[in-house]
Structure formats: C-alpha cells, structure tokens
Amino acid sequence: MPIVTTEDVLGGKPRLDGRRVSVLQVVELVLDHGDDPVDVADQLAISLAEVHEALAYYYDNVDEVETSRRRREELVEDLRGESRAPDAIER
C-alpha cells in the first residue's frame, strides 16, 4: 500500500493508504520507543510490509515528517499553556 496524504484525513499528514495510521505513528513506535516492527504491525493491525513502507517513507522524507512532529509538539505546548487544568491532580 502506498503512503498518501489527504487533507481531510489525519490533517493531511502522510499515512498508509486506506488506513488511519500515520507514518509518524509508526516512526514513534519503532524508532523512538524501540518497539519491534512485528509487534507494531500487530498492535496497529497492519502488515509488516506496511510498517517498513512507513519507515522507508520517513527516511526518504525526514524533514517533512520532523516538521510535522515539531508542529504537533508546539500545538500541544500551546494548548497546555491555555489550559485551566492543574498540572498535577492530587489524590
């Protein structure tokens, strides 16, 4: 399955065609967390080939995917700054 981008699915982020699994999601599990690709395939209900396809896309488009990751992290920080929720909840 090829990697596609569709504006109305996952905010236009690269994903596996026909699925709501982003390239970044696979990258974070395999490269950042060190999960085994076989386990990631099982966890996300995709084939091992699709895991490797997502990783290949990442390596071919590192700047694009990392820019997307930075934007997401900035958005999370902005939302935390605007949140009225306490930093920690005491029990």
Side-chain angles (χ1 to χ4, degrees), residues 29-30 34-46 48 51:
L29 291 170
V30 175
D35 293 351
D36 186 278
V38 172
D39 294 335
V40 171
D42 184 52
Q43 178 182 350
L44 299 177
I46 61 177
L48 182 57
V51 170

Side-chain angles (χ1 to χ4, degrees), residues 14-53:
R15 65 180 174 83
L16 295 167
D17 190 21
R19 305 193 182 271
R20 293 185 63 83
V21 175
S22 72
V23 168
L24 184 55
Q25 187 176 8
V26 173
V27 166
E28 288 177 334
L29 291 170
V30 175
L31 300 180
D32 297 350
H33 299 170
D35 293 351
D36 186 278
V38 172
D39 294 335
V40 171
D42 184 52
Q43 178 182 350
L44 299 177
I46 61 177
S47 70
L48 182 57
E50 289 172 310
V51 170
H52 288 289
E53 188 167 346

Side-chain angles (χ1 to χ4, degrees), residues 14-15 19 37 40 43 50 52-53 60 62 65 67 69 72 75 80-81 86:
R15 65 180 174 83
R19 305 193 182 271
V40 171
Q43 178 182 350
E50 289 172 310
H52 288 289
E53 188 167 346
D60 286 341
V62 172
V65 177
T67 296
R69 183 196 309 244
R72 183 192 65 195
L75 176 62
R80 280 191 184 125

Side-chain angles (χ1 to χ4, degrees), residues 78-89:
D78 289 347
L79 292 174
R80 280 191 184 125
E82 295 174 9
S83 174
R84 294 183 189 190
D87 290 335
I89 298 174

Side-chain angles (χ1 to χ4, degrees), residues 55-73:
L55 294 172
Y57 181 91
Y58 172 75
Y59 287 121
D60 286 341
N61 301 279
V62 172
D63 291 339
E64 171 193 346
V65 177
E66 290 302 325
T67 296
S68 177
R69 183 196 309 244
R70 279 191 303 279
R71 286 183 183 147
R72 183 192 65 195
E73 290 169 355

